[in-house]
């Protein structure tokens, strides 16, 4: 998933959460558009953070898999001798 898609998806979820909140409170949806922008910005930042976390986790997992493969290779070489 790309960075932009992640940010936009989280931002739209933030907008939906804000609209849902106002619906529960039975307040007008377009009364305070700044609140919508704040919710979208906050959730968009969460989407950016989640994307960065996912990228970092993928790098760590790849390094760990390479390390495990190297250990297995050494163990196979030692046991066959």
């Amino acid at each position: 998933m790309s960075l932009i898609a992640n940010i936009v998806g989280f931002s739209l979820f933030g907008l939906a959460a804000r609209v849902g909140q106002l619906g529960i409170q039975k307040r007008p949806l377009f009364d305070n558009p700044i609140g919508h922008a704040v919710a979208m910005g906050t959730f968009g930042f969460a989407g950016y953070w989640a994307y960065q976390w996912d990228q970092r986790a993928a790098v760590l997992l790849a390094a760990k898999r390479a390390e495990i493969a190297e250990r297995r290779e050494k163990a196979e070489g030692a046991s066959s001798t």
Side-chain angles (χ1 to χ4, degrees):
M1 186 182 244
S2 72
L3 176 62
I4 297 299
N6 215 16
I7 291 174
V8 169
F10 272 76
S11 293
L12 290 176
F13 183 79
L15 178 63
R18 174 71 176 160
V19 169
Q21 172 193 21
L22 293 175
I24 289 172
Q25 294 176 353
K26 296 184 179 175
R27 292 175 45 199
L29 297 180
F30 302 111
D31 189 31
N32 185 9
I34 299 296
H36 297 315
V38 169
M40 289 178 73
T42 302
F43 277 83
F45 179 73
Y48 172 77
W49 181 78
Y51 177 82
Q52 295 298 329
W53 183 24
D54 186 44
Q55 294 299 309
R56 179 67 180 141
V59 169
L60 291 174
L61 284 172
K64 190 55 116 172
R65 284 187 182 127
E67 182 182 326
I68 290 170
E70 183 180 325
R71 285 186 196 167
R72 285 182 182 166
E73 196 174 284
K74 283 183 181 179
E76 284 179 6
S79 65
S80 65
T81 2

